[in-house]
Amino acid sequence: MSETALAVHRAFYDAVETGDADLMATLWVDHPRVSCVHPGAVPLRGTGAVLRSWTVLMANVSYIQFFLTDIDVTTFPLGDDEPTMAVIVCTENILSGEGMSSPDAFAGGKALCTSILVRDPSGGRTAGDWKFWSRHASPIADLGTEDR
Amino acid sequence: MSETALAVHRAFYDAVETGDADLMATLWVDHPRVSCVHPGAVPLRGTGAVLRSWTVLMANVSYIQFFLTDIDVTTFPLGDDEPTMAVIVCTENILSGEGMSSPDAFAGGKALCTSILVRDPSGGRTAGDWKFWSRHASPIADLGTEDR
């Protein structure tokens, strides 16, 4: 089951990387209390506001790629064969820029993200019906401690 | 039911404010995959590591008070009378400092926090058995947009 939730989690990043707003729209629960926290920002609430923010981001970034590390997924209820929620914590190593035409414009970044996925309440219990309920991303302060 | 989850959520801040490590220890699920993200930091994993971090924080802060605003709580499964998870998003307006002896030392801060609470799997379905599974706090960038 955690593989299915992880596939939806990966599809989210695929949508951002390919600028696929339609795919993105299929990945979120349609509910006014859905929330999304972008790094350093206050929360967006409601599926419409969340999707708009991603559409704007995708429209303004010509190239972006996410390398996910330290992915940790837990499904709930704990130990249940038919979980209804998944909490996924991961590090996003982000590469973005102007693409091949200007290699110098590449920029790197790092964020820490907690995602909460639920089985779509309007859908059945079939595989692939996991959807995002909440996302909380935060900047990681580069204190250099890892390299020392 | 959301009142009960909110009471545990409030007890968490009471524990930090009063430096009550024993109370804090009762509020978290005891599990190696519990996670806690402090602002700007990488995630801590496991109840032991999470509790140690709060004990260190409480030992190093002589005065801290949280004013919570924009609290949003949703319980899952959505609409269920006996929810097993709660997602609480709130803004933490933080006042900390050296206390009355040095009023100039007071500092303010703002963080955005997503908390995930579950009914303690080792407990029954009695009131008050909500516990923290995950906490993700991030700094809010003060862009001054609210005041303009």
Side-chain angles (χ1 to χ4, degrees):
Chain A
M1 280 301 167
S2 62
E3 289 79 9
T4 329
L6 273 174
V8 172
H9 187 251
R10 183 60 242 179
F12 169 86
Y13 293 99
D14 292 344
V16 180
E17 288 177 357
T18 60
D20 191 338
D22 293 334
L23 172 59
M24 180 64 85
T26 68
L27 302 176
W28 288 80
V29 176
D30 186 11
H31 198 282
R33 298 178 81 175
V34 154
S35 69
C36 181
V37 180
H38 292 290
V42 296
L44 299 170
R45 294 199 201 274
T47 313
V50 171
L51 291 180
R52 277 193 296 280
S53 77
W54 286 105
T55 302
V56 168
L57 182 143
M58 293 187 287
N60 285 286
V61 174
S62 61
Y63 177 87
I64 190 163
Q65 192 168 3
F66 293 86
F67 302 91
L68 306 184
T69 53
D70 303 315
I71 302 173
D72 185 280
V73 53
T74 313
T75 55
F76 298 88
L78 285 172
D80 197 311
D81 286 339
E82 292 206 346
T84 54
M85 291 188 81
V87 175
I88 303 177
V89 181
C90 73
T91 301
E92 301 174 347
N93 305 275
I94 307 162
L95 190 65
S96 66
E98 293 304 309
M100 300 303 281
S101 63
S102 172
D104 292 341
F106 274 100
K110 229 177 185 182
L112 201 286
C113 187
T114 298
S115 298
I116 304 171
L117 282 75
V118 299
R119 286 192 171 269
D120 182 12
S122 64
R125 290 202 161 213
T126 54
D129 59 356
W130 286 97
K131 298 205 174 190
F132 277 81
W133 173 266
S134 176
R135 222 183 97 86
H136 187 149
S138 60
I140 298 179
D142 184 8
L143 303 175
T145 47
E146 287 178 11
D147 299 328
R148 280 171 195 166
Chain B
M1 281 301 168
S2 60
E3 289 80 10
T4 330
L6 273 174
V8 173
H9 187 251
R10 183 61 243 179
F12 168 86
Y13 293 99
D14 292 343
V16 180
E17 288 176 358
T18 59
D20 190 338
D22 292 334
L23 172 58
M24 180 63 85
T26 67
L27 302 176
W28 289 80
V29 176
D30 186 11
H31 198 282
R33 299 179 80 175
V34 154
S35 69
C36 181
V37 179
H38 292 290
V42 296
L44 298 170
R45 295 200 200 273
T47 313
V50 171
L51 291 179
R52 275 194 296 279
S53 75
W54 287 105
T55 301
V56 169
L57 182 142
M58 293 186 288
N60 285 286
V61 174
S62 61
Y63 176 86
I64 189 162
Q65 193 168 5
F66 293 87
F67 303 91
L68 305 184
T69 53
D70 303 317
I71 302 174
D72 185 281
V73 54
T74 312
T75 55
F76 297 88
L78 285 171
D80 198 310
D81 286 339
E82 292 206 344
T84 53
M85 291 188 81
V87 175
I88 303 176
V89 181
C90 73
T91 301
E92 300 173 348
N93 304 275
I94 307 161
L95 190 64
S96 65
E98 294 304 309
M100 303 300 281
S101 64
S102 170
D104 293 342
F106 273 101
K110 228 177 186 184
L112 200 287
C113 187
T114 298
S115 297
I116 304 171
L117 282 74
V118 298
R119 286 192 171 269
D120 184 10
S122 64
R125 290 199 162 216
T126 55
D129 59 357
W130 287 97
K131 299 206 173 188
F132 277 80
W133 173 266
S134 176
R135 221 185 98 86
H136 186 150
S138 61
I140 297 179
D142 185 6
L143 303 175
T145 48
E146 287 177 15
D147 300 328
R148 282 174 194 166

